[in-house]
Amino acid sequence: MKKSKVFWGYAVIALVIYAVVQLLITTGVIDIYYKNMLITMCINIMLAVSLHIVIGVTGQFSIGHAGFLAVGAYISAIITTKLMLPFPLAILLGAVAAAIAGLIVGIPTLRLKGDYLAIATLGFAEIIRIIFLNTDYVGGAAGMQVKYLSNWTYAFVGVVLTILVISNFTNSRHGRACISIREDEVAADAMGINTTYYKVVAFVIGSFFAGLAGAIFAHNFYIIQPTTFGFLKSFDILIYVVLGGLGSLSGSVIAAIFLTVVSAYLANFPETRMIIYSLVLIIVMLYRPTGLMGTKEITDLFKFGKKGGTK
């Protein structure tokens, strides 16, 4: 009963946020610039949370997330632009294609650990980028023109769905198995947990939502190019998770919002943008070496007055 009340409480908050922002967009209070920033923020949140389940929950060091973003972006763009099918179907198929790519990559590579896994996932992302770069059907190096179909509603629903699924998975029996792998894989294996199975499951779920973000990302601009999905994009997503705090879903969300705003306002200073951006990261990491939230969630901050518990 208590969990049900908490769920409906969050659902009401989400609906209020959506309705207020939608009203501000409709009345013109939020102009096209800030609407674009909000959609970009939602895409970055989806990417951060989808990588959080791989690195923060399961403890697998992956730096090839831009590859799954690219799969979702290009597959959905082909479906709407070449096949003229509806955008919602393109989002679904883009996410499914990314999940299948995650399964194909995950089964052989997730037997690796640490640096070796990072190199393998980075290699996968580069292979994907090179394939699109040399495929004339999707425009090659010049890129592919895409219809503008994304809007605030699609982006917001994507964020809510991503957080809802990954939060519930993390708090389930399967999520606890993934956390045990993160804490000590050898001990988890000794306790009878199928470590390879759970690592692949987490990887596929993360890939699915990265593909979902890719579909919305592709249709928020008029063109997508292979250079957009290079290794720097993977590092951007990794920074969201590390800065937010490894193991904290809300930390990943806060870091994605924070860095999206910082990046947007620094766009007016192209000469010094990367210097200031790097300084912001260094300062935050100096004063919060475990990330903005550490391993805590934002809901933990409101439990300081709670009485009772185990004595």
Side-chain angles (χ1 to χ4, degrees), residues 140-182:
M144 181 179 182
Q145 288 191 333
V146 185
K147 296 177 182 175
Y148 181 82
L149 297 171
S150 291
N151 58 32
W152 160 247
T153 302
Y154 283 117
F156 187 79
V157 170
V159 167
V160 171
L161 189 65
T162 305
I163 293 176
L164 188 66
V165 171
I166 292 182
S167 174
N168 276 290
F169 177 83
T170 306
N171 293 321
S172 70
R173 179 170 61 87
H174 306 292
R176 288 193 289 277
C178 290
I179 292 171
S180 71
I181 294 170
R182 179 190 71 189

Short mmCIF file of all heavy atoms in Angstrom, two decimals, residues 140-182:
data_model
loop_
_atom_site.label_atom_id
_atom_site.label_comp_id
_atom_site.label_asym_id
_atom_site.label_seq_id
_atom_site.Cartn_x
_atom_site.Cartn_y
_atom_site.Cartn_z
N GLY A 140 26.40 8.31 -45.95
CA GLY A 140 27.85 8.26 -45.74
C GLY A 140 28.34 9.36 -44.82
O GLY A 140 27.68 9.73 -43.86
N ALA A 141 29.50 9.93 -45.19
CA ALA A 141 30.10 10.98 -44.35
C ALA A 141 29.29 12.27 -44.34
O ALA A 141 29.32 13.05 -43.38
CB ALA A 141 31.52 11.28 -44.83
N ALA A 142 28.52 12.51 -45.43
CA ALA A 142 27.72 13.74 -45.51
C ALA A 142 26.55 13.73 -44.54
O ALA A 142 26.00 14.78 -44.19
CB ALA A 142 27.20 13.92 -46.94
N GLY A 143 26.15 12.54 -44.11
CA GLY A 143 25.04 12.45 -43.17
C GLY A 143 23.71 12.20 -43.84
O GLY A 143 23.60 12.16 -45.06
N MET A 144 22.70 12.06 -43.04
CA MET A 144 21.36 11.71 -43.53
C MET A 144 20.35 12.76 -43.08
O MET A 144 20.32 13.13 -41.90
CB MET A 144 20.98 10.34 -42.95
CG MET A 144 19.66 9.81 -43.38
SD MET A 144 19.37 8.18 -42.63
CE MET A 144 17.78 7.80 -43.35
N GLN A 145 19.54 13.22 -44.03
CA GLN A 145 18.50 14.19 -43.66
C GLN A 145 17.35 13.46 -42.97
O GLN A 145 16.91 12.40 -43.41
CB GLN A 145 17.99 14.90 -44.91
CG GLN A 145 19.01 15.88 -45.47
CD GLN A 145 18.43 16.77 -46.55
OE1 GLN A 145 17.49 16.39 -47.22
NE2 GLN A 145 19.00 17.96 -46.70
N VAL A 146 16.88 14.06 -41.88
CA VAL A 146 15.85 13.42 -41.06
C VAL A 146 14.70 14.40 -40.85
O VAL A 146 14.91 15.60 -40.71
CB VAL A 146 16.43 13.00 -39.68
CG1 VAL A 146 15.40 12.23 -38.88
CG2 VAL A 146 17.69 12.18 -39.86
N LYS A 147 13.47 13.86 -40.84
CA LYS A 147 12.31 14.71 -40.57
C LYS A 147 12.32 15.18 -39.12
O LYS A 147 12.69 14.42 -38.22
CB LYS A 147 11.03 13.92 -40.83
CG LYS A 147 10.83 13.50 -42.27
CD LYS A 147 9.56 12.67 -42.38
CE LYS A 147 9.35 12.19 -43.81
NZ LYS A 147 8.20 11.29 -43.91
N TYR A 148 11.85 16.41 -38.91
CA TYR A 148 11.74 16.92 -37.54
C TYR A 148 10.42 16.43 -36.95
O TYR A 148 9.36 16.94 -37.28
CB TYR A 148 11.81 18.45 -37.53
CG TYR A 148 11.74 19.03 -36.14
CD1 TYR A 148 12.87 19.10 -35.34
CD2 TYR A 148 10.54 19.49 -35.61
CE1 TYR A 148 12.81 19.61 -34.05
CE2 TYR A 148 10.47 20.01 -34.33
CZ TYR A 148 11.60 20.06 -33.56
OH TYR A 148 11.54 20.56 -32.29
N LEU A 149 10.49 15.40 -36.09
CA LEU A 149 9.27 14.81 -35.53
C LEU A 149 9.27 14.79 -34.00
O LEU A 149 8.23 14.55 -33.38
CB LEU A 149 9.11 13.38 -36.06
CG LEU A 149 8.92 13.24 -37.57
CD1 LEU A 149 9.01 11.77 -37.98
CD2 LEU A 149 7.59 13.82 -38.00
N SER A 150 10.44 14.99 -33.39
CA SER A 150 10.50 14.96 -31.92
C SER A 150 9.83 16.20 -31.35
O SER A 150 9.79 17.25 -31.98
CB SER A 150 11.97 14.92 -31.45
OG SER A 150 12.55 13.70 -31.76
N ASN A 151 9.31 16.06 -30.16
CA ASN A 151 8.78 17.21 -29.44
C ASN A 151 8.90 16.95 -27.94
O ASN A 151 9.42 15.90 -27.51
CB ASN A 151 7.32 17.50 -29.85
CG ASN A 151 6.41 16.31 -29.62
OD1 ASN A 151 6.62 15.53 -28.70
ND2 ASN A 151 5.42 16.15 -30.47
N TRP A 152 8.44 17.89 -27.16
CA TRP A 152 8.56 17.80 -25.70
C TRP A 152 7.85 16.56 -25.15
O TRP A 152 8.34 15.89 -24.24
CB TRP A 152 8.00 19.08 -25.08
CG TRP A 152 7.63 18.98 -23.64
CD1 TRP A 152 6.39 19.05 -23.10
CD2 TRP A 152 8.52 18.77 -22.52
NE1 TRP A 152 6.43 18.90 -21.74
CE2 TRP A 152 7.73 18.72 -21.36
CE3 TRP A 152 9.89 18.59 -22.41
CZ2 TRP A 152 8.26 18.54 -20.09
CZ3 TRP A 152 10.44 18.38 -21.14
CH2 TRP A 152 9.63 18.37 -20.01
N THR A 153 6.69 16.23 -25.73
CA THR A 153 5.92 15.08 -25.23
C THR A 153 6.69 13.78 -25.40
O THR A 153 6.81 12.99 -24.46
CB THR A 153 4.57 14.99 -25.98
OG1 THR A 153 3.85 16.21 -25.80
CG2 THR A 153 3.73 13.83 -25.46
N TYR A 154 7.22 13.54 -26.59
CA TYR A 154 8.00 12.32 -26.82
C TYR A 154 9.21 12.26 -25.89
O TYR A 154 9.52 11.20 -25.32
CB TYR A 154 8.48 12.26 -28.28
CG TYR A 154 7.42 11.86 -29.26
CD1 TYR A 154 7.00 12.73 -30.26
CD2 TYR A 154 6.84 10.59 -29.21
CE1 TYR A 154 6.02 12.36 -31.18
CE2 TYR A 154 5.86 10.22 -30.13
CZ TYR A 154 5.46 11.10 -31.11
OH TYR A 154 4.50 10.73 -32.01
N ALA A 155 9.91 13.39 -25.74
CA ALA A 155 11.11 13.41 -24.90
C ALA A 155 10.76 13.14 -23.44
O ALA A 155 11.44 12.36 -22.76
CB ALA A 155 11.81 14.76 -25.05
N PHE A 156 9.69 13.77 -22.96
CA PHE A 156 9.33 13.60 -21.55
C PHE A 156 8.86 12.16 -21.27
O PHE A 156 9.24 11.57 -20.27
CB PHE A 156 8.22 14.60 -21.19
CG PHE A 156 7.90 14.60 -19.72
CD1 PHE A 156 8.71 15.27 -18.81
CD2 PHE A 156 6.79 13.93 -19.23
CE1 PHE A 156 8.42 15.26 -17.45
CE2 PHE A 156 6.49 13.91 -17.88
CZ PHE A 156 7.30 14.59 -16.99
N VAL A 157 8.03 11.62 -22.17
CA VAL A 157 7.57 10.23 -21.99
C VAL A 157 8.77 9.28 -22.00
O VAL A 157 8.83 8.33 -21.22
CB VAL A 157 6.56 9.85 -23.10
CG1 VAL A 157 6.24 8.36 -23.07
CG2 VAL A 157 5.27 10.65 -22.91
N GLY A 158 9.73 9.55 -22.88
CA GLY A 158 10.95 8.72 -22.93
C GLY A 158 11.70 8.74 -21.62
O GLY A 158 12.16 7.69 -21.13
N VAL A 159 11.84 9.92 -21.03
CA VAL A 159 12.55 10.03 -19.74
C VAL A 159 11.81 9.28 -18.64
O VAL A 159 12.42 8.51 -17.88
CB VAL A 159 12.70 11.52 -19.35
CG1 VAL A 159 13.12 11.65 -17.89
CG2 VAL A 159 13.73 12.20 -20.22
N VAL A 160 10.50 9.49 -18.56
CA VAL A 160 9.71 8.83 -17.50
C VAL A 160 9.79 7.31 -17.65
O VAL A 160 10.00 6.59 -16.67
CB VAL A 160 8.24 9.31 -17.56
CG1 VAL A 160 7.36 8.48 -16.62
CG2 VAL A 160 8.14 10.78 -17.18
N LEU A 161 9.66 6.83 -18.89
CA LEU A 161 9.71 5.38 -19.14
C LEU A 161 11.09 4.81 -18.76
O LEU A 161 11.19 3.76 -18.11
CB LEU A 161 9.43 5.12 -20.62
CG LEU A 161 9.23 3.67 -21.03
CD1 LEU A 161 7.98 3.10 -20.38
CD2 LEU A 161 9.11 3.56 -22.55
N THR A 162 12.15 5.53 -19.14
CA THR A 162 13.51 5.06 -18.85
C THR A 162 13.74 4.98 -17.34
O THR A 162 14.22 3.96 -16.82
CB THR A 162 14.55 6.03 -19.47
OG1 THR A 162 14.28 6.17 -20.85
CG2 THR A 162 15.96 5.53 -19.26
N ILE A 163 13.38 6.04 -16.62
CA ILE A 163 13.60 6.06 -15.17
C ILE A 163 12.74 5.02 -14.48
O ILE A 163 13.21 4.31 -13.58
CB ILE A 163 13.31 7.47 -14.61
CG1 ILE A 163 14.35 8.46 -15.12
CG2 ILE A 163 13.30 7.46 -13.08
CD1 ILE A 163 14.11 9.89 -14.71
N LEU A 164 11.49 4.89 -14.92
CA LEU A 164 10.57 3.94 -14.29
C LEU A 164 11.07 2.51 -14.44
O LEU A 164 11.13 1.76 -13.45
CB LEU A 164 9.19 4.09 -14.95
CG LEU A 164 8.04 3.32 -14.30
CD1 LEU A 164 7.74 3.88 -12.91
CD2 LEU A 164 6.79 3.41 -15.16
N VAL A 165 11.45 2.12 -15.64
CA VAL A 165 11.88 0.74 -15.89
C VAL A 165 13.20 0.44 -15.16
O VAL A 165 13.32 -0.57 -14.46
CB VAL A 165 12.05 0.48 -17.41
CG1 VAL A 165 12.71 -0.87 -17.66
CG2 VAL A 165 10.71 0.54 -18.10
N ILE A 166 14.17 1.34 -15.27
CA ILE A 166 15.48 1.06 -14.67
C ILE A 166 15.42 1.15 -13.15
O ILE A 166 16.06 0.37 -12.45
CB ILE A 166 16.53 2.01 -15.28
CG1 ILE A 166 16.74 1.63 -16.74
CG2 ILE A 166 17.85 1.96 -14.50
CD1 ILE A 166 17.77 2.41 -17.49
N SER A 167 14.61 2.05 -12.62
CA SER A 167 14.45 2.13 -11.16
C SER A 167 13.79 0.86 -10.62
O SER A 167 14.25 0.30 -9.61
CB SER A 167 13.60 3.36 -10.82
OG SER A 167 13.33 3.38 -9.45
N ASN A 168 12.75 0.40 -11.29
CA ASN A 168 12.09 -0.83 -10.84
C ASN A 168 12.98 -2.06 -10.99
O ASN A 168 12.98 -2.93 -10.13
CB ASN A 168 10.79 -1.04 -11.64
CG ASN A 168 9.64 -0.26 -11.03
OD1 ASN A 168 9.15 -0.58 -9.96
ND2 ASN A 168 9.22 0.78 -11.70
N PHE A 169 13.75 -2.09 -12.07
CA PHE A 169 14.68 -3.22 -12.26
C PHE A 169 15.73 -3.23 -11.14
O PHE A 169 16.04 -4.27 -10.56
CB PHE A 169 15.37 -3.11 -13.62
CG PHE A 169 16.39 -4.18 -13.87
CD1 PHE A 169 16.00 -5.43 -14.33
CD2 PHE A 169 17.74 -3.97 -13.62
CE1 PHE A 169 16.93 -6.44 -14.54
CE2 PHE A 169 18.68 -4.97 -13.83
CZ PHE A 169 18.27 -6.20 -14.29
N THR A 170 16.27 -2.04 -10.81
CA THR A 170 17.31 -1.95 -9.78
C THR A 170 16.79 -2.40 -8.42
O THR A 170 17.52 -3.04 -7.65
CB THR A 170 17.82 -0.49 -9.68
OG1 THR A 170 18.24 -0.07 -10.98
CG2 THR A 170 18.99 -0.39 -8.72
N ASN A 171 15.52 -2.09 -8.12
CA ASN A 171 14.96 -2.45 -6.82
C ASN A 171 14.38 -3.86 -6.79
O ASN A 171 13.85 -4.28 -5.76
CB ASN A 171 13.87 -1.44 -6.44
CG ASN A 171 14.46 -0.06 -6.19
OD1 ASN A 171 15.54 0.06 -5.61
ND2 ASN A 171 13.78 0.98 -6.65
N SER A 172 14.45 -4.56 -7.91
CA SER A 172 13.91 -5.93 -7.96
C SER A 172 14.98 -6.94 -7.53
O SER A 172 16.13 -6.59 -7.29
CB SER A 172 13.45 -6.25 -9.38
OG SER A 172 14.57 -6.38 -10.24
N ARG A 173 14.58 -8.20 -7.48
CA ARG A 173 15.52 -9.28 -7.15
C ARG A 173 16.65 -9.34 -8.17
O ARG A 173 17.81 -9.56 -7.82
CB ARG A 173 14.74 -10.61 -7.16
CG ARG A 173 15.56 -11.84 -6.87
CD ARG A 173 14.64 -13.02 -6.65
NE ARG A 173 13.83 -13.30 -7.84
CZ ARG A 173 14.23 -14.08 -8.85
NH1 ARG A 173 15.42 -14.66 -8.81
NH2 ARG A 173 13.44 -14.30 -9.89
N HIS A 174 16.32 -9.10 -9.44
CA HIS A 174 17.34 -9.12 -10.50
C HIS A 174 18.32 -7.94 -10.32
O HIS A 174 19.52 -8.07 -10.56
CB HIS A 174 16.68 -9.04 -11.87
CG HIS A 174 15.64 -10.10 -12.07
ND1 HIS A 174 15.95 -11.43 -12.16
CD2 HIS A 174 14.28 -10.03 -12.17
CE1 HIS A 174 14.84 -12.14 -12.32
NE2 HIS A 174 13.82 -11.31 -12.32
N GLY A 175 17.78 -6.80 -9.91
CA GLY A 175 18.64 -5.64 -9.70
C GLY A 175 19.62 -5.87 -8.55
O GLY A 175 20.79 -5.48 -8.62
N ARG A 176 19.13 -6.51 -7.49
CA ARG A 176 20.03 -6.81 -6.35
C ARG A 176 21.12 -7.79 -6.77
O ARG A 176 22.25 -7.73 -6.28
CB ARG A 176 19.21 -7.34 -5.18
CG ARG A 176 18.38 -6.26 -4.50
CD ARG A 176 17.84 -6.74 -3.16
NE ARG A 176 16.79 -7.74 -3.33
CZ ARG A 176 15.51 -7.46 -3.56
NH1 ARG A 176 15.12 -6.21 -3.61
NH2 ARG A 176 14.61 -8.42 -3.70
N ALA A 177 20.78 -8.71 -7.68
CA ALA A 177 21.81 -9.63 -8.20
C ALA A 177 22.88 -8.84 -8.96
O ALA A 177 24.09 -9.11 -8.83
CB ALA A 177 21.16 -10.66 -9.11
N CYS A 178 22.43 -7.83 -9.75
CA CYS A 178 23.39 -6.98 -10.49
C CYS A 178 24.27 -6.19 -9.52
O CYS A 178 25.48 -6.06 -9.73
CB CYS A 178 22.65 -6.02 -11.41
SG CYS A 178 21.83 -6.83 -12.81
N ILE A 179 23.66 -5.68 -8.44
CA ILE A 179 24.44 -4.91 -7.46
C ILE A 179 25.48 -5.81 -6.78
O ILE A 179 26.61 -5.39 -6.52
CB ILE A 179 23.50 -4.27 -6.41
CG1 ILE A 179 22.65 -3.18 -7.09
CG2 ILE A 179 24.28 -3.67 -5.25
CD1 ILE A 179 21.53 -2.65 -6.22
N SER A 180 25.10 -7.05 -6.52
CA SER A 180 26.06 -7.98 -5.89
C SER A 180 27.24 -8.24 -6.82
O SER A 180 28.38 -8.40 -6.37
CB SER A 180 25.36 -9.30 -5.53
OG SER A 180 25.06 -10.04 -6.69
N ILE A 181 26.99 -8.25 -8.13
CA ILE A 181 28.09 -8.41 -9.10
C ILE A 181 29.01 -7.20 -9.05
O ILE A 181 30.23 -7.32 -9.11
CB ILE A 181 27.51 -8.60 -10.53
CG1 ILE A 181 26.73 -9.92 -10.61
CG2 ILE A 181 28.62 -8.58 -11.57
CD1 ILE A 181 25.92 -10.08 -11.88
N ARG A 182 28.39 -6.02 -8.93
CA ARG A 182 29.20 -4.79 -8.84
C ARG A 182 30.09 -4.81 -7.59
O ARG A 182 31.27 -4.45 -7.65
CB ARG A 182 28.27 -3.57 -8.77
CG ARG A 182 29.00 -2.24 -8.64
CD ARG A 182 28.04 -1.12 -8.33
NE ARG A 182 27.53 -1.23 -6.97
CZ ARG A 182 26.54 -0.49 -6.48
NH1 ARG A 182 25.94 0.40 -7.23
NH2 ARG A 182 26.13 -0.64 -5.24
#
